[in-house]
Amino acid sequence: MKVSGFKSFLDKFVDQRPLAIAQLSHQKVRLTVAMGGIAFANVLIFMQLGFLSLFSGGATALPKSMKGDLFLLNSTTEFIGSNGFDLIRLYQAAGIKGVTNTTPVYTSTGTPWAYSQQKKSFEARVYAFNPSQQVFSIPEVIKQQSLLNIPNSVLFDRMAKPDFGPIPRLFTNKGNVTAVLNNRRISVIGLFNLGNSFFLGSGNLIMSEATYTNLFGQSALNQVSIGVVNLENNADIKAVKKAIEANVPGIKAYTHEELIRKELKFQETTAVGPIFSFGAIMGFIVGVVIVYQVLYADVNDHLAEYATLKAIGYSDIALLGVIFSEAIILAVLGFLPGFAVSFWMYGFLGNLTRLELIMNAEIVATVFILTIVMCVMSAAIASGKLRSADPADVF
């Protein structure tokens, strides 16, 4: 019985689309205002969700780009790079049964950074490791990491902010670029993509341990930021993880998935994520209010007509079908310009900030569904006015 009732409502909903279109197109100014309001709400939601995705992506960009079976951090580390652990702990972990090898990865901030024609200086985020080992899954890094054995050579992130200079263009034209880091001359011998974000800073460099020592001193190798552990093929990763944590003091071991989740968990402790989420909620509320006002005004202006339709036999369900049809049509018409404007803004802000602000399918689907829900909610509220459409008042 419930199924047949829903089918009846659905049939009525479909049948009333022509009338809904006629209602909306009758006052083109009101329709344009409604589309503009929905598009505005969509842009708000798109941008807030984009920033939230960027924030989450920035938090996980580094761990996602790393390769290994287990990753060791100081047990008190809140996020990668916040504090390190003694190199001796990595040697201890290498002695655990099932471990093939361990590789230290160092992170630091190098300043000043300047290329040869630049007067200002900026901080660069540095990642260093032994080029004979593979700790990154970035194809460009894997292909070029043997070049890092050249003294004082680095790979430069082409997604660095423009403040770091036109290094990618100069490298493409000349094949080699000289710069200054920590008051020492270095050579850019390759490019890669990691991207800057709220977490990764505005420019990233990858170098060898030897170059790292030349820039930061021999003592810098004593503090490891991340220990990358590779296991034997038949090793039980859970057992090895437990053994490392039990036998290596002050160390916490993570699988790749756990490392990514840890960085996301840290994000949840900051205020940035909730701020962007709240912005998306506000955009949704704005859209509900705008669509409600449009639909309420439409119902109110045509109350006599709705009463007449009731008098000639139209049921409340049929009239509700008209209102909800209008809401769905408005959702689609308003979403299209909102999507177009947001797509342009993503590209514009991405080029301006060098942040990887990407409109993925998940964001598009989320905003579209929210738009439908937003308009249907507005229709449900506005349809209450139909109860006052009494045929007795007309005749």
Side-chain angles (χ1 to χ4, degrees):
M1 199 66 184
K2 291 182 179 179
V3 175
S4 61
F6 176 76
K7 185 176 183 301
S8 175
F9 175 78
L10 186 62
D11 291 339
K12 292 289 184 180
F13 174 81
V14 173
D15 290 341
Q16 304 315 316
R17 282 184 301 173
L19 178 56
I21 295 173
Q23 289 274 75
L24 290 174
S25 60
H26 178 66
Q27 294 189 357
K28 293 181 174 55
V29 174
R30 179 180 292 171
L31 174 61
T32 303
V33 171
M35 289 174 56
I38 296 172
F40 176 72
N42 279 170
V43 171
L44 285 178
I45 299 173
F46 263 121
M47 299 312 299
Q48 298 301 316
L49 291 183
F51 291 144
L52 184 61
S53 176
L54 174 64
F55 185 69
S56 302
T60 60
L62 179 60
K64 282 182 178 179
S65 70
M66 302 197 72
K67 183 176 182 181
D69 296 312
L70 288 173
F71 301 87
L72 309 184
L73 299 177
N74 188 313
S75 58
T76 63
T77 296
E78 291 185 304
F79 60 92
I80 294 176
S82 62
N83 57 343
F85 59 88
D86 291 337
L87 181 60
I88 188 67
R89 303 305 179 198
L90 203 58
Y91 295 149
Q92 292 173 334
I96 301 296
K97 184 179 179 180
V99 175
T100 302
N101 61 67
T102 58
T103 304
V105 176
Y106 304 93
T107 67
S108 184
T109 299
T111 183
W113 159 272
Y115 72 99
S116 57
Q117 300 175 0
Q118 189 179 34
K119 296 181 180 180
K120 296 182 179 180
S121 62
F122 303 91
E123 291 185 349
R125 190 67 176 168
V126 172
Y127 304 96
F129 68 104
N130 185 345
S132 65
Q133 302 294 325
Q134 186 174 322
V135 299
F136 286 99
S137 58
I138 304 173
E140 289 179 304
V141 175
I142 296 172
K143 184 178 180 181
Q144 301 175 93
Q145 68 182 43
S146 61
L147 298 176
L148 294 175
N149 290 308
I150 301 172
N152 296 324
S153 62
V154 302
L155 299 178
F156 183 86
D157 187 356
R158 62 167 58 88
M159 297 298 293
K161 289 184 178 180
D163 293 339
F164 280 75
I167 305 299
R169 178 175 59 80
L170 293 174
F171 180 81
T172 302
N173 294 336
K174 299 180 180 180
N176 188 284
V177 180
T178 300
V180 173
L181 182 66
N182 273 17
N183 298 313
R184 290 181 178 270
R185 192 167 295 278
I186 60 171
S187 296
V188 176
I189 47 84
L191 304 173
F192 70 99
N193 277 6
L194 181 59
N196 56 79
S197 68
F198 301 103
F199 285 87
L200 297 178
S202 52
N204 303 299
L205 303 173
I206 292 178
M207 62 182 63
S208 67
E209 287 180 342
T211 299
Y212 187 77
T213 302
N214 291 338
L215 293 172
F216 297 93
Q218 184 66 38
S219 62
L221 296 182
N222 294 330
Q223 284 293 302
V224 178
S225 298
I226 314 167
V228 180
V229 180
N230 292 308
L231 306 181
E232 297 173 356
N233 292 332
N234 59 349
D236 185 339
I237 190 168
K238 291 183 179 179
V240 175
K241 177 179 182 293
K242 185 176 180 180
I244 290 175
E245 293 178 343
N247 294 280
V248 184
I251 293 298
K252 180 74 174 176
Y254 300 88
T255 63
H256 198 205
E257 293 75 17
E258 289 172 343
L259 186 67
I260 294 171
R261 287 200 298 269
K262 175 179 174 58
E263 295 299 288
L264 284 175
K265 185 176 180 180
F266 172 75
Q267 169 204 322
E268 295 173 357
T269 66
T270 68
V272 179
I275 287 173
F276 290 142
S277 298
F278 182 76
I281 293 172
M282 290 305 298
F284 180 84
I285 294 174
V286 168
V288 170
V289 172
I290 291 173
V291 178
Y292 165 74
Q293 291 292 339
V294 171
L295 293 179
Y296 181 86
D298 178 77
V299 173
N300 191 61
D301 289 351
H302 298 91
L303 202 57
E305 287 84 347
Y306 283 119
T308 302
L309 291 174
K310 278 188 176 183
I312 63 176
Y314 274 73
S315 66
D316 286 339
I317 291 180
L319 296 181
L320 283 174
V322 175
I323 303 300
F324 281 99
S325 294
E326 289 185 34
I328 299 298
I329 294 169
L330 283 175
V332 175
L333 293 179
F335 176 80
L336 295 177
F339 170 77
V341 172
S342 300
F343 187 82
W344 176 84
M345 290 183 67
Y346 271 48
F348 174 76
L349 290 176
N351 293 329
L352 183 66
T353 63
R354 295 294 180 92
L355 295 173
E356 291 190 279
L357 191 59
I358 300 173
M359 183 177 289
N360 54 46
E362 183 180 356
I363 292 177
V364 175
T366 300
V367 176
F368 182 73
I369 292 172
L370 286 176
T371 304
I372 297 294
V373 173
M374 174 176 71
C375 292
V376 169
M377 283 180 59
S378 303
I381 299 171
S383 62
K385 184 68 174 176
L386 282 176
R387 289 194 297 268
S388 61
D390 190 350
D393 294 337
V394 178
F395 303 102

